[in-house]
Amino acid sequence: MPNQDDLTAGVVTTQQLSASALAQLHRLAQTAGPEVQHALAQLVAAAQQQAHLHAQHGQVQNNLADLQAMLNRMLQPLGLHIKNWQDPAQALLQLRVFADDFEVQYRAMLLRERTLNQHAIVSATDVHGTITYVNDLFCEINGMAPHQLLGKNHRIIASGIHPRAFYTGMWETISQGHTWHGEICNRSPVTGQAYWVAATIVPFLDANGLPKEYISVRTDITKRKKLEQELAHERSFLESITANLGKGVMVLDREERCTFLNPEAERLFGWTLAQLKGQSLHGQMYFCAGQAEGEDAPACPVCLCYALQECVSFDMQDNLVLVHKERGPFPAAMTVLPLFEDGVLRGCMAVFYDITQHKRHEAELRQAKEQAEQASQARSSFLANMSHEIRTPLNAILGFTEALLDTPLNPQQQRQLTTVRQSGRTLLGLLNDILDTAKLEKGALQLEVRDFSLRQLCQQLVDMLSLEAGKKALSLHLDYPPEEPEFFQGDALRIHQVLLNLLSNAIKFTAIGSVTLHVRQGPEQWLHVQVQDTGIGMTAEQLSRVFTPFAQADTSTTRRFGGTGLGTTIARQLVELMHGRLQVSSIPNQGTCFTVCLPLPPGQPVAATPMLASVALPPLRILAVDDVPENLELLQLVLARGGHQVTLASGGQAALALLKAQAFDVVLLDLHMPDIDGFAVTTQWRAWQAQQGQAPTPVIALSASVLLQDRQQAFDVGMNGFAQKPLSVPCLQAEIARVLHLDAPAAPLLPLAPAAATAPAASAPPAAVCDEAAALALWGSRAQWQGALQRSMAQFPAVLAQLQALHAAAQMADVAALAHRWRGVAGNLQLPALAQTLHAVESSAHQGHPLPAAAWSALAQAWQQVQALLAVTEEKDSLGRLNSIGNNELLTDEMITCMREMLLNLERSEYPDLSRLTACLPPSLLPQLTQALDHFDFSRASALLREQLETIKP
């Protein structure tokens, strides 16, 4: 029997025991002793464990073989294979290298996938379209989570926009293993929002080359598609505009090759875009009138546009001519705009149209305008001629009627002659209205804007018409509150004319009640003046004709109240000339209200211009130039008192010689001299100074002229200042200080008259014979003034004779020059009446009009008054008496009333009776008033009487 050691050794050496052997050992252990049983039990356990380990080893070997096969299959796509599996260490090292490479590649793949996911919308489906993969952007654009998409068919995001054939073509492409590219509109199942993507679908093929999976990579192009749609809409819109613009549109490149024509351009040219695209149009399509067709001239609008690189327009006056393929040239207007790209001129766009009809209409309008102007000129000439032809016999009729009325007459003759006089005055008023209307329509009426008192003007009107209103027992009121402004800037005479017309009409058409003149200041400096009455009123139909010339309410009104029907027409034209409005409202049998609205700016209080204080000038070297010795004498006296060194020159030639020989600080230069006038002297002197390189010497013009053209001409030739005659010492000193840039107050601006002004203002008051106080202040002493006065007036009879001789020879320019010269003398001698009369002579001669007998009479009378002044022995007393001639302050209330009645007659164009006023009017006023009435210049006569009334203190 084997012992325990043998059994143990047997266990160690035995590789395997069969089942029958184990069974035998088990039976033997049951019969053996305890030790043997124990050894046998260990032997059986060891054998069983050995069998189990052997089985596990076999399984491991099988698993290792499978692992090796699997790893080789995995590495096969990478071109890798492990051959030395018998050496585990070497195999593990090789696997570690493969693993490191795989990790690098995997990380790169993850990076690529992450980058792709950030910029692309990625999804994957199987061959049936079931979604198997989505990235974050796919979920985001559809507004869904991955679990909501995975397992769903790709059709859930179809938009329904594309036709069925679109999807059929796509599936045919990818199912054949080809990549598909295209743009698809999808729609989110959650939000319903459509979006566009540019998609690339790539099929993944199996071992048989058949698709097993589809990968779709998309880019969101929604904004681009929206922009494309907007651009397409705008393109369609622009094409619609250009097609229906009614004007030709062409686009040219920098070489003037055609790139676009709209349908109208094709029609105008007779060519289609297909025929002209890419061709140069310069030689075929356009050229400028007066140039050969196709000539590359600078006047070509496209050439100008390219040269200037800015918009160029040729309108109807530029004579642009284009060419039609068959019909030939036609006039056109064209606007060319440059087209830039990145700041570089690339071409231009031209918009043009045919102006043949415009040219024809323009020619017709020009011809009609010329005919209308000729007709208007003929009408004006006719009215002027008729005015002269009618006024001349009418003057005789009225004059002889007045003369006959002063003779003994029986009642019937008195009544008949009174009727003749009234009819003549009515005819004269009609003639004046027609002439005023013609002037307004022609635009020949000029406004004279100056400061004036509206309150005073309105009060004068009420005072003037109060007698007429009183005859009808009417109440005439002025409603002008004290808080309303008084002073305005405007033409007081024309405002007076408008309001007088409206007030007179109101009184005429009012039988019972009142007439009120309301004055109020409206917003934005608009003046509102209302004339309100309680008269007969007007219907709506009558209101529509109230401003029509020669029209009244109806024929019965004309017969009952009289009148020409021009009053309101003239009033409205005058108001509109002043940029205002004239409105009317009326109720039949209750009254009428006319409202005048005028944009009048505030004015300064009407008062005498304060005298300037004398300016302290340093001693100066002054050249005084004048052809009148008395004027030079006065300048010598005045300037010498200031300590100045005065050099005198009696003409232009002498002045030029002195200027070239010595230096002066300032030159006082008369404008009108017989040899060389002041304008020519200045021109020659400035040229000489420039040639010599000298600084310009200040020149101040001396002139009695107030014409704007004279002052402007003086500055144009190089003069620096302007001083007016008669001489004002403070103004002259201030002007000298100004041109020498010394510290002194500015001289007041002198009133300027327009170039057409030919006579003193109609409202100028009658002038006194002399102004002794001003003369003494100017000349410094009575002896100096009287000496100059006597020397000058000793020459005046010869001057009168020379004026008459020149007038007889029709040398009106010489008459004007001589009158101008002596007007300055009279002004410096402070003889206002004589200076004013000479001014009237000068103004009339400037117009080339022969002087009427009344002008010579007025001049003779003014000269007689000066002679009387010279004849007085007691200077102070005599001068005081003569000065009082111009102002009669002893008029009775009856005479004032008489003058107001005369003013009312004049405003109605009725010839007044002067016999009652002859004794109380100043001698200097009577000739002027008589002259105005002789010429039926009632406006001038009214102005003279109003000025005289203003000087009277009741």
Side-chain angles (χ1 to χ4, degrees):
M1 175 178 297
N3 56 23
Q4 185 175 358
D5 294 333
D6 293 335
L7 291 174
T8 303
V11 172
V12 174
T13 59
T14 301
Q15 298 296 326
Q16 56 179 336
L17 293 176
S18 64
S20 59
L22 290 175
Q24 291 176 2
L25 289 175
H26 183 69
R27 287 193 299 270
L28 180 61
Q30 291 179 352
T31 58
E35 292 181 356
V36 174
Q37 288 181 352
H38 177 72
L40 288 174
Q42 289 180 341
L43 179 62
V44 171
Q48 290 177 343
Q49 183 178 8
Q50 181 70 21
H52 179 70
L53 289 175
H54 182 74
Q56 286 183 340
H57 176 75
Q59 184 65 36
V60 168
Q61 290 296 326
N62 291 335
N63 290 340
L64 285 175
D66 291 339
L67 179 60
Q68 292 172 4
M70 184 183 67
L71 286 175
N72 284 328
R73 285 197 304 271
M74 291 176 60
L75 295 175
Q76 184 179 1
L78 302 177
L80 302 176
H81 183 74
I82 299 177
K83 298 179 181 181
N84 50 353
W85 288 106
Q86 293 77 12
D87 187 355
Q90 186 66 30
L92 289 175
L93 177 62
Q94 191 173 2
L95 281 176
R96 187 176 294 109
V97 172
F98 289 165
D100 291 342
D101 292 341
F102 179 78
E103 183 179 4
V104 171
Q105 294 178 16
Y106 178 72
R107 290 181 181 276
M109 183 191 69
L110 290 178
L111 180 61
R112 287 194 297 270
E113 183 179 358
R114 185 164 56 251
T115 303
L116 182 65
N117 287 338
Q118 290 178 354
H119 298 282
I121 303 167
V122 182
S123 67
T125 66
D126 59 16
V127 294
H128 302 292
T130 302
I131 300 174
T132 60
Y133 170 79
V134 292
N135 71 344
D136 293 342
L137 289 181
F138 189 94
C139 297
E140 180 181 342
I141 198 169
N142 287 286
M144 301 174 70
H147 71 274
Q148 295 175 303
L149 292 167
L150 296 176
K152 301 293 192 303
N153 192 281
H154 215 285
R155 285 192 296 270
I156 65 172
I157 62 172
S159 64
I161 292 178
H162 303 290
R164 187 177 187 86
F166 174 83
Y167 294 105
T168 301
M170 179 182 67
W171 279 105
E172 286 179 354
T173 299
I174 61 178
S175 63
Q176 294 174 6
H178 303 301
T179 301
W180 182 91
H181 302 280
E183 295 179 353
I184 308 176
C185 180
N186 293 328
R187 189 183 304 276
S188 168
V190 176
T191 65
Q193 184 70 36
Y195 60 91
W196 281 86
V197 292
T200 298
I201 304 178
V202 181
F204 276 52
L205 307 180
D206 59 12
N208 298 321
L210 296 177
K212 62 177 181 179
E213 186 180 27
Y214 299 114
I215 304 297
S216 176
V217 180
R218 305 171 184 86
T219 303
D220 187 358
I221 60 171
T222 305
K223 292 182 179 179
R224 193 196 79 190
K225 294 295 287 187
K226 183 178 180 181
L227 181 60
E228 288 176 354
Q229 292 173 357
E230 292 176 353
L231 290 176
H233 175 73
E234 291 180 1
R235 184 181 298 108
S236 175
F237 179 69
L238 291 175
E239 289 175 354
S240 176
I241 289 178
T242 56
N244 299 281
L245 185 62
K247 295 182 180 180
V249 178
M250 65 177 176
V251 179
L252 307 177
D253 63 16
R254 189 62 181 86
E255 286 71 35
E256 300 186 40
R257 291 189 296 264
C258 177
T259 60
F260 174 79
L261 288 179
N262 74 335
E264 180 65 11
E266 293 179 335
R267 187 189 70 81
L268 291 173
F269 284 147
W271 299 83
T272 65
L273 175 60
Q275 293 172 320
L276 293 178
K277 193 166 185 178
Q279 297 185 27
S280 175
L281 299 190
H282 193 284
Q284 300 184 58
M285 295 299 128
Y286 58 92
F287 63 95
C288 294
Q291 299 173 355
E293 183 175 352
E295 181 181 353
D296 192 1
C300 162
V302 174
C303 297
L304 283 176
C305 176
Y306 285 166
L308 302 175
Q309 297 195 8
E310 63 183 29
C311 178
V312 173
S313 294
F314 274 41
D315 56 22
M316 298 181 189
Q317 285 73 40
D318 288 314
N319 299 322
L320 176 68
V321 178
L322 302 179
V323 182
H324 186 274
K325 177 183 178 182
E326 298 174 355
R327 294 194 298 267
F330 62 92
M334 178 181 288
T335 298
V336 184
L337 296 93
L339 301 178
F340 294 94
E341 183 179 332
D342 297 329
V344 179
L345 181 66
R346 299 299 185 186
C348 69
M349 179 181 70
V351 180
F352 59 97
Y353 57 97
D354 188 348
I355 60 172
T356 302
Q357 292 296 330
H358 292 279
K359 287 286 187 180
R360 184 178 297 114
H361 293 161
E362 187 180 62
E364 293 172 354
L365 288 174
R366 188 181 302 109
Q367 182 180 2
K369 178 176 178 290
E370 292 174 355
Q371 292 175 351
E373 288 176 348
Q374 292 174 0
S376 177
Q377 184 63 35
R379 177 172 176 263
S380 299
S381 300
F382 171 77
L383 289 173
N385 293 334
M386 289 302 297
S387 171
H388 175 73
E389 296 298 332
I390 294 175
R391 285 175 185 271
T392 300
L394 191 59
N395 185 19
I397 292 171
L398 290 175
F400 282 109
T401 300
E402 294 288 348
L404 285 173
L405 285 171
D406 290 337
T407 63
L409 301 170
N410 60 43
Q412 184 179 4
Q413 292 171 331
Q414 182 78 25
R415 184 172 60 257
Q416 291 172 345
L417 286 174
T418 301
T419 302
V420 171
R421 180 178 65 181
Q422 184 62 36
S423 299
R425 291 172 179 173
T426 302
L427 180 60
L428 182 62
L430 173 61
L431 182 63
N432 288 336
D433 285 346
I434 293 174
L435 289 176
D436 279 347
T437 301
K439 288 180 181 179
L440 287 166
E441 290 178 351
K442 190 178 179 181
L445 194 63
Q446 300 293 327
L447 297 177
E448 184 178 356
V449 178
R450 60 178 59 184
D451 295 326
F452 72 99
S453 169
L454 180 63
R455 191 181 301 276
Q456 183 180 3
L457 184 149
C458 293
Q459 190 61 56
Q460 287 177 356
L461 286 168
V462 172
D463 292 342
M464 183 185 303
L465 296 172
S466 58
L467 294 175
E468 184 68 18
K471 291 177 182 179
K472 301 180 68 174
L474 298 176
S475 175
L476 180 60
H477 298 291
L478 172 60
D479 177 21
Y480 199 146
E483 63 272 12
E484 293 294 331
E486 176 180 356
F487 299 101
F488 297 90
Q489 289 183 357
D491 192 326
L493 180 62
R494 297 305 172 187
I495 296 174
H496 183 277
Q497 182 178 351
V498 170
L499 296 181
L500 177 64
N501 178 281
L502 298 178
L503 285 169
S504 298
N505 280 347
I507 294 174
K508 181 194 298 185
F509 294 105
T510 302
I512 301 174
S514 63
V515 176
T516 306
L517 180 62
H518 302 278
V519 181
R520 295 292 187 275
Q521 175 73 41
E524 299 182 0
Q525 297 185 351
W526 277 83
L527 175 68
H528 296 271
V529 182
Q530 289 184 331
V531 177
Q532 190 169 15
D533 64 58
T534 59
I536 61 175
M538 289 178 283
T539 65
E541 181 182 359
Q542 292 167 343
L543 281 174
S544 65
R545 302 194 309 269
V546 70
F547 296 115
T548 303
F550 302 104
Q552 288 191 332
D554 55 30
T555 54
S556 63
T557 301
T558 305
R559 289 196 301 269
R560 178 181 174 189
F561 295 100
T564 63
L566 284 173
T568 53
T569 302
I570 295 174
R572 186 174 194 174
Q573 289 173 325
L574 286 173
V575 170
E576 291 177 350
L577 182 64
M578 293 183 279
H579 307 289
R581 302 186 302 271
L582 178 56
Q583 301 167 335
V584 59
S585 60
S586 184
I587 300 176
N589 301 321
Q590 293 189 26
T592 302
C593 180
F594 282 88
T595 302
V596 179
C597 302
L598 293 173
L600 297 184
Q604 298 296 324
V606 179
T609 303
M611 294 294 293
L612 281 175
S614 296
V615 178
L617 298 172
L620 302 171
R621 297 166 298 174
I622 301 176
L623 174 62
V625 186
D626 202 307
D627 62 316
V628 180
E630 289 74 20
N631 290 344
L632 289 176
E633 179 183 358
L634 176 60
L635 288 170
Q636 174 73 43
L637 288 171
V638 169
L639 297 172
R641 289 200 297 264
H644 305 297
Q645 179 184 342
V646 184
T647 303
L648 304 178
S650 59
Q653 291 286 10
L656 284 172
L658 288 170
L659 285 169
K660 294 177 182 179
Q662 54 184 300
F664 295 97
D665 297 314
V666 67
V667 179
L668 307 180
L669 183 60
D670 186 25
L671 290 182
H672 303 286
M673 295 181 291
D675 56 347
I676 302 179
D677 62 22
F679 303 115
V681 170
T682 304
T683 301
Q684 296 181 32
W685 172 234
R686 291 296 187 226
W688 189 87
Q689 284 188 303
Q691 184 179 5
Q692 300 297 319
Q694 296 181 3
T697 303
V699 177
I700 297 176
L702 296 177
S703 177
S705 174
V706 295
L707 296 182
L708 178 59
Q709 63 180 16
D710 285 346
R711 177 173 293 186
Q712 187 60 49
Q713 185 180 359
F715 290 127
D716 289 343
V717 299
M719 296 188 184
N720 308 94
F722 201 98
Q724 191 174 0
K725 299 177 183 178
L727 196 63
S728 169
V729 176
C731 289
L732 177 61
Q733 290 176 336
E735 189 70 354
I736 292 174
R738 186 186 69 81
V739 299
L740 293 177
H741 306 291
L742 302 177
D743 187 13
L749 294 178
L750 300 175
L752 297 179
T758 58
S763 60
V769 178
C770 71
D771 188 343
E772 179 184 4
L776 293 178
L778 182 61
W779 288 84
S781 69
R782 190 180 302 277
Q784 292 282 0
W785 170 56
Q786 284 188 337
L789 179 63
Q790 291 173 358
R791 288 191 299 274
S792 299
M793 293 303 102
Q795 305 173 41
F796 198 73
V799 173
L800 282 176
Q802 187 179 359
L803 281 173
Q804 292 171 346
L806 292 172
H807 183 267
Q811 299 178 9
M812 304 309 296
D814 294 335
V815 171
L818 187 59
H820 174 84
R821 175 183 178 184
W822 279 91
R823 174 163 69 94
V825 174
N828 284 335
L829 292 172
Q830 300 302 316
L831 303 175
L834 182 59
Q836 181 173 308
T837 308
L838 288 169
H839 187 195
V841 172
E842 176 191 357
S843 300
S844 182
H846 266 306
Q847 282 192 317
H849 296 166
L851 298 178
W856 293 112
S857 175
L859 184 59
Q861 183 176 2
W863 167 234
Q864 290 172 2
Q865 291 174 343
V866 174
Q867 285 180 311
L869 174 66
L870 292 172
V872 176
T873 55
E874 295 182 2
E875 299 170 353
K876 185 174 181 178
D877 294 339
S878 64
L879 289 175
R881 287 195 299 271
L882 285 174
N883 281 332
S884 67
I885 290 176
N887 295 285
N888 189 341
E889 299 181 359
L890 302 176
L891 295 179
T892 63
D893 291 340
E894 180 181 356
M895 287 301 179
I896 294 176
T897 302
C898 182
M899 293 178 73
R900 288 178 176 171
E901 289 180 351
M902 182 183 295
L903 274 174
L904 183 59
N905 291 335
L906 288 172
E907 297 293 347
R908 294 175 177 174
S909 299
E910 298 176 356
Y911 201 94
D913 183 6
L914 284 179
S915 59
R916 298 171 59 191
L917 295 178
T918 304
C920 65
L921 291 178
S924 60
L925 177 60
L926 278 174
Q928 300 177 64
L929 191 58
T930 303
Q931 177 186 0
L933 294 176
D934 287 344
H935 290 80
F936 299 99
D937 190 353
F938 290 168
S939 296
R940 170 67 171 161
S942 298
L944 291 172
L945 283 176
R946 281 198 302 270
E947 293 294 337
Q948 184 62 28
L949 272 174
E950 290 178 3
T951 62
I952 299 171
K953 298 179 181 179

